[in-house]
Amino acid sequence: MAATAGSPTTSPIGRDTPRVEGPLKVTGKAQYTSDFHFPGLLYAVPVGATIANGRILELDTASAEKMPGVRAIFHRANIGKIFRSTLQPNFQGVCEERRPPFEDDIIRYYGQYIALAVADTFETAKAAADVVRATYAAEKPNVETHLEADDDPDEVDTTFGPRHRLDSQRGDVDAAFASAPVKLDQTYVTPSETHNPLETHATTAMWDGAMLTLYESSQGVVNLRNVLAQMFDLPNENVRVITKFVGSGFGSKLWPWTLCPLAAAAARQLGKPVRLVLPRKMMFHAVGHRPRTQQRVRIGATPEGKLISLQHDYIYQRSMLDAHHEDCGEATPFHYSVPNLRVTFGRAKRNIGGGADMRGPGAVPGLYATESAMNEMAYQLKIDPVKFRIINEPKIDEGLRLPFSSRHLLECFELGTEKFGWSRRNPVVGSMKRDGVTLGWGMAGCAWIAARFPAAATVELRADGTVRVACATQDIGTGTYTNLAQLASHRTGVPLDKVEVALGDTSLPEGPTSGGSLATASIVPAVLAAADNAIASLMTIATGMTGSRFENRQPDDLAFSDGVIFVKADGPANGVPFDEILRRANLRLATGSGKAEATFGNPKPKFSTHSFGCHFAEVTWQPEIARLRVSRVVTVIDAGKILNTLAGRNQIQGAVVMGIGMALLEHTSYDPQNGAPINSSLADYIVAVNADSPPIDVYFLDYPDKEINEVGARGIGEIGLAGIAAAITAAVHHATGVRVRELPVKIEDLLA
Ligand code: MOS
C-alpha cells in the first residue's frame, strides 16, 4: 500500500528533533535496569579470581556462608547446570565468552568469576564476597604487550564464524613494494581500552516456573534472550528480556557476559529475584575490552603521490578461550585506489578476559594505523595530505570490485578544508603560532560499514488519535526511541507528541541489536512497512463501513496523508481523520506489521555500502610546560540521510570526544606480576570529559543512500570515532615534530 500512504506535510525526518524520552530522563522518571524493584529481591556480588593464570585448589566459603543475611555462596559445586551457547542463524546466539561461569577450576584471566555471594542486601553480599578465600596453583600470567602472532592455521574460528587470515589480496604486493620509488614501513600500536559507560552492567533475573525474566542493561535483547535460552535449556519463548533505558554501552553490552547466567542460575536455586550490578572495578575484568593491536603498514608510492602498493598486517591480543576478531583491515581494501594490496592478521593469546567490540571495532584501530601511514607518506612526499588522498580516491570498491552505493568523500574534504581554513596551513613543523602557543593541524579520513540486521515492527493507529510503534530493539542513548517515533510520524502524519514508542522488550516484534551502527538503517523499512500495513488495514475498515463515504469504494481508490483518509479523486480536503473512522467502526485500533531482511553478511552484495567522512584537528602545544590540548575539530560526515540532525550531530561530537580520549588518554594497563588491570577505576582510567572537549563543528552531507532503505539512512554511531586519532597525532607531529605511533600520546613522548 506504499503508493497510497502519504507522507505528512511536515515530516520530522531530517530535522533537529529533541529526544522524545528526554523529559523522562531529565526528571529521573526513566527506569534503568537497577531501578526496577521486586518483592523478595536478593543482591548478588561476584568474587573474582586474584590470579590470571592457574587453577583453584580450594575455595573457602565457610565464613561467608555464616554471615547473617547471606542466602548462598554459589560456586562450581552448587550453581547447577549451565549449558554452552552456540551461534545461530541471523546473527543470533552471539556471545564473546562461551565458557559458562564456573565450568571448570582453571583461571585464565584476572577477575574471572569464581564464586557469587547472594544476600538480603547489597552491603551484606559485598561483605560476604570479600571473605570468600581461594587457594590457587598459580602460574605466571602472560600479559606481554609486545605481540607476536601465535602459530594459528590459515583459517581460524571467530565469534562470527571462520575467517581466513589472508583478509584481502590483489596484484603482486611484494614486487610492487620492492620496486616502489618511495616507501614507508611503520608499525602502529593501539592499547587495550576498556568500555566505561556511566551505567555499569546490571542484571536482575527472576523465575516463574519455567519462565525466566531478565531485566538487563543490554544492547541486544533478542540475542541475549536466545543465548540465555540455550544456556538454561529453555525454548526462546520462555525467556523474556527487558531493557527500557541503557546508560550507554559502547559495545560492552552488545553480547551477553557471564554475570547474566550467574544471576539467572542463582535466582533459579533460591526461587527469588536476584540482582547483580557490577562495581566499576569489575568493568575491567569480565565484560570485554578493545584488544591491543600492533599493525605494520607498508606503502609504496610514486614521487607524484600515486599509491603503488599497500600492505596492512595486524596482530591483536585475544583471550585464552575466546575468538573475538578485531577486524582492523575492514576499511583497508576499499579506502584508496591501489593496484597491489595485501591485508593479513594474526592473533596473540594473553591471560586477559574476552575481547569485545568497542565503538568502531576493527576499523577504528585499523584506520588509526592506515590513516597515520597515509599522513606520514604525504609528509615524506611533500604533498598536502588532503591532496594525497584526492589523488588516490577510488572509483569503485577495489577490494570487492563493486561500485559504492554512495560515496562523497571528496566533497567531505572540500567542505572540511573550507570550514577549518586548511588552506592557511603552513606545513613546516612548529611554524604556526597563536597567542604564544604552537599550533598543530592534522587531518584524516574515515569510513564505517553500513548494513541492516533483520527487523520486524508493528504500528497501531488508535481510536484516540495516537499511534503506537513497537520493536524489540533498544535505545542505548543514541536516539532510537526518537527514530522510531519519527518514522511512524513520517508515514502516518501523526505528530511526534501523539506517537508512543515501545521497545526494549523481547515480547515485541524482533528488532535489531544496537551494534555496528546498524540499528537505524534496520528499523527504517520495518517501521515504514508496518505503518503502510496499518493504513491498508484502516482502508479496508473504511470501505467496509456502512453509511461511510468510503463504502463501496475499493481500497485502491483511497489515499492517506497527514492522518486523514480520503478518496483520491476528491483530494484530502474531504478526508476523514483515521481516529474518527475507528471510533465509528467501534474499533480500538488498526494494526500493521512490517518486516525487512538483513543485508549484513550478504555473500553476494550488488554494492559496497559504507559511510565516509573526514576530521580536521587543531592542537595547541606549549613546550615550556609540556601542555598539549586539542583546541578545535571540524568533522564532515557522509552517512546518507540523517534521520535526526540534532541527535546525529551529538552522536558525532560524542565520538570525537571519545577520539580525543583514544588519542591522548585511554589505555588499560595489566600488571605483569598478577595480570590485574592496574588502572581499574574512573580515577585512573582517564576518559576525555567536557574539560578536554574543544569546539567540535559537525557537518553532514545530505545524499540519501536509497540502496540501504527508502529513507536513505545509513547509521552514524561509530564513524565519528574512526580516523580522529590519526588526525590528532598528525597535528601533534605538525606542532612538535614528534611522530607518536603508539597510542595514547604521552607527555614523555613529546619531551624526548
Ligand atoms: Mo558498537 S561496538 O557495534 O556497540
Side-chain angles (χ1 to χ4, degrees):
M1 294 303 292
T4 50
S7 294
T9 43
T10 318
S11 166
I13 299 281
R15 292 172 194 271
D16 277 9
T17 308
R19 287 159 198 261
V20 295
E21 86 289 11
L24 289 179
K25 284 181 169 170
V26 298
T27 56
K29 288 193 188 113
Q31 283 190 289
Y32 292 79
T33 293
S34 57
D35 294 329
F36 289 91
H37 290 279
F38 304 96
L41 181 68
L42 301 177
Y43 296 81
V45 172
V47 180
T50 53
I51 65 166
N53 187 18
R55 209 157 47 81
I56 306 173
L57 294 179
E58 210 182 303
L59 198 66
D60 178 3
T61 59
S63 34
E65 276 159 0
K66 281 191 216 104
M67 292 172 73
V70 168
R71 296 297 181 112
I73 307 297
F74 289 108
H75 45 86
R76 193 177 163 214
N78 64 359
I79 190 69
K81 181 75 186 160
I82 309 177
F83 290 90
R84 276 187 185 234
S85 61
T86 57
L87 194 62
Q88 298 163 313
N90 276 323
F91 316 102
Q92 292 301 322
V94 183
C95 181
E96 297 272 27
E97 184 171 350
R98 291 288 184 195
R99 175 188 173 277
F102 309 161
E103 195 185 54
D104 56 31
D105 285 331
I106 301 169
I107 303 301
R108 298 173 178 89
Y109 61 88
Y110 187 99
Q112 180 184 317
Y113 305 137
I114 58 169
L116 183 77
V118 184
D120 293 336
T121 66
F122 169 75
E123 290 75 10
T124 308
K126 174 76 173 75
D130 286 347
V131 299
V132 171
R133 286 283 169 270
T135 318
Y136 303 98
E139 286 168 49
K140 192 172 161 43
N142 180 357
V143 294
E144 172 62 46
T145 52
H146 180 75
L147 304 181
E148 302 274 351
D150 292 339
D151 192 12
D152 275 324
D154 290 347
E155 193 174 272
V156 295
D157 208 27
T158 73
T159 303
F160 285 99
R163 284 287 295 235
H164 207 285
R165 289 175 51 207
L166 176 59
D167 254 356
S168 185
Q169 177 168 240
R170 57 183 183 256
D172 182 347
V173 82
D174 296 311
F177 183 68
S179 62
V182 189
K183 295 185 224 274
L184 173 133
D185 182 353
Q186 291 294 354
T187 296
Y188 302 88
V189 173
T190 63
S192 292
E193 290 181 296
T194 303
H195 318 74
N196 268 293
L198 267 187
E199 180 201 31
T200 65
H201 285 253
T203 184
T204 301
M206 68 203 79
W207 292 78
D208 181 1
M211 283 289 305
L212 169 62
T213 302
L214 288 150
Y215 285 77
E216 175 84 20
S217 184
S218 171
Q219 292 180 236
V221 292
V222 176
N223 180 71
L224 188 97
R225 176 197 68 188
N226 295 355
V227 170
L228 267 283
Q230 292 186 55
M231 296 185 91
F232 290 93
D233 189 23
L234 297 167
N236 279 349
E237 60 271 24
N238 280 29
V239 182
R240 184 175 175 200
V241 179
I242 297 168
T243 301
K244 288 298 171 192
F245 292 94
V246 180
S248 198
F250 303 118
S252 70
K253 297 169 182 171
L254 260 179
W255 320 118
W257 296 103
T258 48
L259 74 149
C260 186
L262 266 188
R268 178 175 63 181
Q269 304 288 58
L270 294 167
K272 301 263 189 214
V274 170
R275 169 181 302 163
L276 198 172
V277 180
L278 276 196
R280 180 61 58 180
K281 197 171 190 65
M282 285 190 174
M283 294 295 285
F284 291 80
H285 298 157
V287 286
H289 62 277
R290 192 197 293 280
R292 184 178 183 86
T293 75
Q294 194 176 293
Q295 307 175 55
R296 183 177 180 191
V297 182
R298 278 170 282 184
I299 298 178
T302 68
E304 297 75 38
K306 181 74 198 82
L307 289 176
I308 297 172
S309 71
L310 174 57
Q311 280 152 283
H312 187 188
D313 301 294
Y314 61 96
I315 306 172
Y316 57 82
Q317 122 211 320
R318 68 167 179 130
S319 67
M320 289 295 159
L321 287 183
D322 311 298
H324 167 76
H325 175 61
E326 190 66 24
D327 196 5
C328 298
E330 198 263 327
T332 313
F334 66 80
H335 209 52
Y336 295 107
S337 175
V338 55
N340 304 288
L341 171 139
R342 187 168 61 220
V343 181
T344 70
F345 73 87
R347 315 181 296 173
K349 274 187 183 170
R350 293 292 179 265
N351 289 108
I352 292 175
D357 296 318
M358 179 165 166
R359 200 175 197 174
V364 161
L367 280 161
Y368 157 68
T370 53
E371 285 300 272
S372 293
M374 287 295 284
N375 283 334
E376 289 199 51
M377 184 52 122
Y379 186 77
Q380 206 173 313
L381 291 165
K382 297 192 168 57
I383 298 177
D384 178 87
V386 178
K387 191 172 168 215
F388 183 43
R389 287 168 169 85
I390 293 170
I391 293 171
N392 293 290
E393 172 71 6
K395 293 201 167 54
I396 62 163
D397 178 330
E398 295 178 4
L400 295 175
R401 308 192 65 78
L402 288 174
F404 292 107
S405 59
S406 175
R407 170 169 167 137
H408 302 275
L409 184 55
L410 298 186
E411 195 174 322
C412 292
F413 290 146
E414 209 174 303
L415 189 61
T417 48
E418 180 208 317
K419 296 292 182 187
F420 189 82
W422 186 255
S423 62
R424 296 195 305 275
R425 182 177 187 261
N426 179 342
V428 177
V429 164
S431 65
M432 293 179 69
K433 308 274 180 190
R434 187 178 64 216
D435 303 332
V437 301
T438 306
L439 299 183
W441 285 8
M443 61 80 57
C446 59
W448 184 253
I449 187 175
R452 299 192 330 241
F453 286 129
T458 54
V459 168
E460 294 168 358
L461 299 161
R462 300 192 286 202
D464 62 358
T466 65
V467 165
R468 179 179 192 258
V469 52
C471 178
T473 185
Q474 48 292 309
D475 188 336
I476 63 169
T478 46
T480 305
Y481 273 110
T482 311
N483 289 164
L484 284 166
Q486 285 180 297
L487 289 163
S489 169
H490 170 72
R491 196 59 127 213
T492 61
V494 173
L496 285 173
D497 62 0
K498 289 193 166 173
V499 179
E500 182 199 339
V501 180
L503 55 66
D505 186 335
T506 51
S507 61
L508 303 171
E510 289 190 12
T513 289
S514 300
S517 305
L518 269 55
T520 302
S522 311
I523 61 174
V524 168
V527 175
L528 296 184
D532 287 343
N533 287 330
I535 291 163
S537 148
L538 184 78
M539 287 174 174
T540 309
I541 293 163
T543 51
M545 238 162 73
T546 3
S548 112
R549 97 177 54 151
F550 306 117
E551 196 186 355
N552 300 327
R553 296 276 185 176
Q554 291 306 308
D556 270 359
D557 300 337
L558 306 182
F560 185 93
S561 175
D562 291 304
V564 166
I565 192 162
F566 56 94
V567 178
K568 272 182 203 162
D570 300 348
N574 290 321
V576 182
F578 72 88
D579 46 319
E580 205 178 307
I581 306 236
L582 289 168
R583 285 197 301 270
R584 278 204 234 151
N586 193 27
L587 286 171
R588 282 172 56 238
L589 51 84
T591 184
S593 300
K595 206 174 162 159
E597 301 302 317
T599 65
F600 186 61
N602 177 0
K604 289 204 171 126
K606 286 210 274 301
F607 294 94
S608 167
T609 306
H610 292 84
S611 288
F612 301 95
C614 57
H615 304 279
F616 291 82
E618 176 186 274
V619 300
T620 58
W621 171 233
Q622 293 164 268
E624 56 284 5
I625 55 167
R627 182 180 156 118
L628 178 77
R629 289 289 184 272
V630 177
S631 45
R632 190 160 72 90
V633 175
V634 170
T635 296
V636 185
I637 299 292
D638 164 29
K641 186 77 191 170
I642 305 301
L643 288 191
N644 181 355
T645 41
L646 182 65
R649 278 194 308 275
N650 177 245
Q651 187 74 347
I652 301 299
Q653 284 168 338
V656 168
V657 173
M658 204 165 166
I660 293 170
M662 179 182 174
L664 305 183
L665 303 166
E666 284 196 51
H667 66 105
T668 310
S669 301
Y670 297 88
D671 187 333
Q673 299 299 319
N674 63 1
I678 298 169
N679 51 339
S680 55
S681 73
L682 283 184
D684 296 313
Y685 184 92
I686 312 296
V687 298
V689 296
N690 280 357
D692 302 295
S693 307
I696 300 164
D697 290 329
V698 175
Y699 301 91
F700 290 115
L701 303 189
D702 188 14
Y703 292 101
D705 186 344
K706 297 296 173 94
E707 288 304 324
I708 194 154
N709 52 50
E710 71 164 89
V711 170
R714 283 201 294 252
I716 47 171
E718 287 155 291
I719 186 164
L721 184 52
I724 179 70
I728 292 170
T729 52
V732 168
H733 173 260
H734 184 223
T736 67
V738 181
R739 281 285 178 204
V740 180
R741 301 188 185 93
E742 178 168 346
L743 294 183
V745 175
K746 294 180 269 314
I747 293 303
E748 307 87 280
D749 299 327
L750 306 181
L751 296 175

